[in-house]
Amino acid sequence: MARDLYTITPYTVSTLLNWISTNEIAIPEIQRPFVWEASKVRNLLDSLYRGFPVGYLITWQNANIKLKDGTFSKGQRILIDGQQRVTALMASLMATEVVNKNYESVRMKIAFHPGEEKFEVSNPAIQKDPAWIHDVATMFQDDADLFEIVDAYTAANPKQKTADVRKSIQRLANIRASQVGVIDLDKDLDIETVTEIFIRVNSEGVALSQADFVMSKIAANETYGGNTLRKAIDYFCHLAAHPSFLSTFEKDAAFKASAFYPKMKWRGNVMDDIYEPGYTDMLRVAFTSQFGRGRLQDLVALLSGRNFETKQNEEAIAEASFASLSHGIHQFINEAHFEKFTMIIRSAGFISTSLISSQNALNAAYIVYLHGRAKGIKQSELESYVRRWYALSILTGRYSGSSESAFDRDIRQINERGLATHISEVVRATLTDSFWTALLPQQMDTSSGNSPFFLAYQAAQVKANDRGFLSQAITVPDLLLHRVDVHHLYPSDFLKKQGMTKGKYNQIANFALAQSEINIAIGNKDPQLYFTQLLTQVNGGEVKYGGITDEADMRANLRAHCIPETMLDDPSMPYQIFLEQRRQLMALKLQAWFGGL
């Protein structure tokens, strides 16, 4: 008979809040931004007041951990689903300050109208109206006297019947006795099973990622600086997206005194969106580069002190794991490391965030960089490894799909065989001649402008410092960093009139990067017309498109954009044949680009 994976038990609101006050249950999210609107807090209290169900909470107890002296300590329970609801109760009933989206500590006050039995978010108008109890938290203080509250209210509102007021206020106070269902997951469940249970139970179908579990484990730990470590991860992510956030988190005196603050404050003075990591990215890179593993479920186990051989949890392993992860985060946020890494990515041609298609590929490249630095690999060689690994990752979709397996496999191979050997063998096995001449052209049969192949093609043009289509001086880097038009070589309106669908005329092999004025000048002209005019233009005729007037220069521009030169001599090429030829040329350009990385 299969064992039970969980138990369901109803607990009173009072019991839950008491558990949290005594730290019997850890709420990892309490130090993170509270995302609920105040109106949702109001609605939660109203539901409890009326006896409506408010959903289940899910807790997961850490396994017991073996201390250094050989004795065992009982694991703490962590609230893994329901943080927002419990935080709302703490904020409204216990007057606990919450952290808002700007990471500022604020009080959330909910008012109650005994006569109308309704709740509202407290505001200046309500605070001036004696018909409202301005902050229900005053009724839940240890020294609160309901008789005094009723007497004071009826004195201020003589038209209200004392019996009705007493009934409403007593009903509000009885929220303490309202029951909330708690699903206690078995402490021996593995992380994947816990994740699956969460997904199936959660009414909104919001998948809790393994990174969320890791963050929960970190924040729940007080012994090894988990709260500070979690803040470092959260703050850096927020700072990467919003550098002005520096002035806000500098108000956190405790964090400012930590070793993380001086290492990450540089990010507040940098406007760079090439790599904006989220907490999952930071954990992935720090863990994989530092521990030589790629599955975040292993990090959860290690932070719990898991000894994979004895199957026991040991304090020494937990302590060492927190220290290693902290070191990994320090390496991640290091200014020199981060800026050199993004510089390397730019040097491959990815100079704009519009060219970044895979965050996982960036993570993998940063892992390669940090691993290489730790191994003392020569800088020039390491830069080439990083560029090639990022390019290979996006061209082959290496980290799409089951990315954890790929991360785990690659870091183990890198540690066993060495970085240079692993990269060389993967390149040789995947980027074969048939990849460039057959598979890649076939994959470029797509109408997605965000296709990794088209983005890599643009990076190749940046790397080559190609000029824009028909441009005399403006380069592709200039266009991408300022203003660029994606020109249809066979204009879309021209193809629409031939009955072609969007998926046909928006093929990436029909795209070229151009100046707006050139794109506008060509408009919806038949390619036979404007290519004929281009030939006239470079033979002393009227200059209609761009400023190129030399035929050799024009042919060089067409080659740079992988446009068959025969279009200049005979522009009658059927559209489908043009696409096939151009895909081949674009693939060859990408091959040459990769070879130069």
Side-chain angles (χ1 to χ4, degrees):
M1 182 176 178
R3 66 187 176 94
D4 291 333
L5 302 182
Y6 62 91
T7 58
I8 301 178
T9 309
Y11 294 103
T12 64
V13 169
S14 179
T15 299
L16 292 173
L17 294 179
N18 181 61
W19 282 350
I20 294 161
S21 297
T22 58
N23 207 32
E24 186 168 337
I25 291 183
I27 308 184
E29 303 297 325
I30 198 66
Q31 295 297 335
R32 304 196 80 203
F34 182 63
V35 300
W36 271 19
E37 297 291 338
S39 59
K40 291 194 70 173
V41 180
R42 174 202 64 199
N43 293 344
L44 176 64
L45 291 188
D46 187 67
S47 293
L48 289 169
Y49 181 83
R50 300 182 188 286
F52 295 168
V54 293
Y56 287 99
L57 307 180
I58 303 180
T59 65
W60 182 34
Q61 183 174 335
N62 295 338
N64 295 343
I65 187 166
K66 185 178 181 180
L67 303 179
K68 293 178 181 178
D69 63 5
T71 61
F72 285 85
S73 173
K74 183 179 180 181
Q76 184 184 39
R77 280 200 293 186
I78 298 177
L79 186 66
I80 63 171
D81 184 37
Q83 292 100 327
Q84 296 291 309
R85 277 167 288 166
V86 172
T87 303
L89 291 175
M90 295 173 66
S92 58
L93 303 184
M94 299 174 65
T96 302
E97 290 190 340
V98 297
V99 180
N100 65 16
K101 63 182 180 180
N102 294 318
Y103 286 79
E104 298 169 334
S105 294
V106 296
R107 268 278 284 120
M108 191 169 288
K109 297 180 181 180
I110 304 298
F112 178 67
H113 194 300
E116 298 179 1
E117 293 188 87
K118 64 181 292 188
F119 294 87
E120 273 301 342
V121 179
S122 192
N123 57 50
I126 285 177
Q127 291 170 12
K128 295 176 183 178
D129 188 345
W132 290 85
I133 294 175
H134 306 150
D135 185 358
V136 298
T138 59
M139 297 180 52
F140 292 87
Q141 295 174 357
D142 292 338
D143 59 353
D145 187 318
L146 295 187
F147 290 103
E148 290 182 1
I149 292 174
V150 171
D151 290 343
Y153 183 84
T154 53
N157 299 274
K159 293 183 180 180
Q160 297 284 351
K161 294 181 180 180
T162 301
D164 292 340
V165 171
R166 182 179 294 111
K167 181 180 178 181
S168 296
I169 289 180
Q170 184 62 57
R171 187 178 178 186
L172 174 59
N174 286 344
I175 282 179
R176 292 189 187 93
S178 297
Q179 293 193 332
V180 178
V182 177
I183 298 174
D184 287 304
L185 302 182
D186 189 280
K187 64 182 176 63
D188 294 324
L189 292 178
D190 58 62
I191 189 68
E192 291 180 338
T193 303
V194 173
T195 302
E196 182 66 19
I197 290 173
F198 174 86
I199 294 170
R200 296 192 180 204
V201 172
N202 189 279
S203 60
E204 296 179 5
V206 180
L208 186 65
S209 71
Q210 290 178 350
D212 291 314
F213 280 96
V214 175
M215 293 293 271
S216 294
K217 292 289 297 182
I218 294 171
N221 180 278
E222 297 179 353
T223 306
Y224 308 122
N227 184 43
T228 301
L229 177 58
R230 175 151 195 172
K231 283 184 177 181
I233 297 170
D234 266 337
Y235 286 174
F236 188 83
C237 293
H238 200 73
L239 200 58
H242 308 284
S244 60
F245 173 66
L246 177 65
S247 61
T248 299
F249 88 71
E250 283 183 329
K251 297 175 184 177
D252 186 338
F255 183 77
K256 195 172 181 180
S258 75
F260 288 104
Y261 168 74
K263 296 292 181 66
M264 62 189 283
K265 65 179 182 178
W266 65 270
R267 200 63 180 85
N269 301 313
V270 177
M271 297 295 293
D272 184 350
D273 57 1
I274 287 292
Y275 186 31
E276 289 185 357
Y279 63 88
T280 301
D281 305 311
M282 289 187 69
L283 288 172
R284 174 81 62 205
V285 172
F287 171 60
T288 304
S289 61
Q290 195 65 31
F291 290 75
R293 293 172 176 265
R295 300 180 188 277
L296 287 181
Q297 69 185 71
D298 290 345
L299 179 54
V300 173
L302 288 165
L303 293 176
S304 299
R306 191 69 166 174
N307 183 320
F308 291 113
E309 294 182 358
T310 65
K311 308 301 182 184
Q312 288 187 333
N313 287 4
E314 301 175 9
E315 182 184 21
I317 292 177
E319 182 178 7
S321 296
F322 269 94
S324 293
L325 182 60
S326 180
H327 179 71
I329 294 299
H330 272 289
Q331 296 301 300
F332 187 104
I333 66 177
N334 180 281
E335 180 179 7
H337 296 172
F338 198 92
E339 291 199 329
K340 285 180 180 178
F341 169 67
T342 55
M343 179 178 65
I344 293 169
I345 296 299
R346 282 193 177 83
S347 71
F350 299 93
I351 59 173
S352 166
T353 184
S354 65
L355 300 182
I356 303 298
S357 62
S358 171
Q359 195 78 350
N360 269 339
L362 279 177
N363 294 338
Y366 200 14
I367 290 168
V368 166
Y369 176 77
L370 293 177
H371 176 89
R373 278 193 61 90
K375 294 296 183 181
I377 295 176
K378 187 177 178 181
Q379 183 65 26
S380 59
E381 295 177 1
L382 181 56
E383 290 176 8
S384 178
Y385 295 151
V386 172
R387 282 191 293 264
R388 289 167 71 82
W389 195 250
Y390 179 71
L392 178 146
S393 298
I394 61 173
L395 287 174
T396 63
R398 192 172 186 82
Y399 297 102
S400 58
S402 182
S403 61
E404 282 221 322
S405 298
F407 278 110
D408 192 64
R409 179 182 64 248
D410 283 328
I411 194 62
R412 291 178 186 274
Q413 290 293 314
I414 287 171
N415 283 330
E416 289 176 9
R417 306 159 78 180
L419 185 60
T421 299
H422 181 62
I423 291 178
S424 176
E425 291 185 356
V426 172
V427 169
R428 187 163 54 250
T430 57
L431 302 185
T432 61
D433 287 342
S434 62
F435 171 84
W436 298 112
T437 60
L439 181 59
L440 183 56
Q442 181 181 1
Q443 291 177 322
M444 294 176 78
D445 183 356
T446 175
S447 60
S448 172
N450 290 322
S451 159
F453 314 117
F454 185 53
L455 299 180
Y457 168 74
Q458 294 176 64
Q461 288 204 290
V462 170
K463 184 74 172 172
N465 201 36
D466 290 338
R467 290 172 294 164
F469 177 57
L470 305 183
S471 292
Q472 186 178 35
I474 303 298
T475 65
V476 168
D478 293 331
L479 293 172
L480 288 170
L481 292 176
H482 296 94
R483 180 176 179 178
V484 63
D485 275 14
V486 179
H487 170 67
H488 289 71
L489 294 166
Y490 280 59
S492 55
D493 284 345
F494 168 77
L495 295 175
K496 285 179 187 178
K497 292 175 181 177
Q498 297 183 24
M500 292 196 184
T501 62
K502 186 176 181 179
K504 293 293 185 181
Y505 61 73
N506 270 349
Q507 286 286 304
I508 63 172
N510 192 32
F511 294 159
L513 303 185
Q515 295 173 238
S516 296
E517 52 270 30
I518 293 174
N519 188 29
I520 292 170
I522 293 174
N524 62 356
K525 293 183 179 67
D526 184 332
Q528 291 194 50
L529 172 60
Y530 83 82
F531 270 96
T532 298
Q533 291 173 328
L534 285 174
L535 183 60
T536 300
Q537 176 176 311
V538 296
N539 282 284
E542 180 183 357
V543 178
K544 289 180 173 288
Y545 312 109
I548 300 176
T549 57
D550 178 76
E551 184 173 343
D553 198 13
M554 178 66 75
R555 292 184 183 277
N557 186 267
L558 297 183
R559 286 194 299 273
H561 286 269
C562 301
I563 298 169
E565 284 187 63
T566 55
M567 288 290 290
L568 198 61
D569 305 305
D570 178 12
S572 63
M573 185 183 297
Y575 178 59
Q576 193 58 43
I577 300 299
F578 170 81
L579 292 179
E580 292 172 1
Q581 290 192 15
R582 190 160 187 251
R583 289 181 192 124
Q584 291 287 341
L585 293 172
M586 292 170 74
L588 291 175
K589 188 179 185 79
L590 283 169
Q591 183 179 21
W593 164 72
F594 185 85
L597 297 178

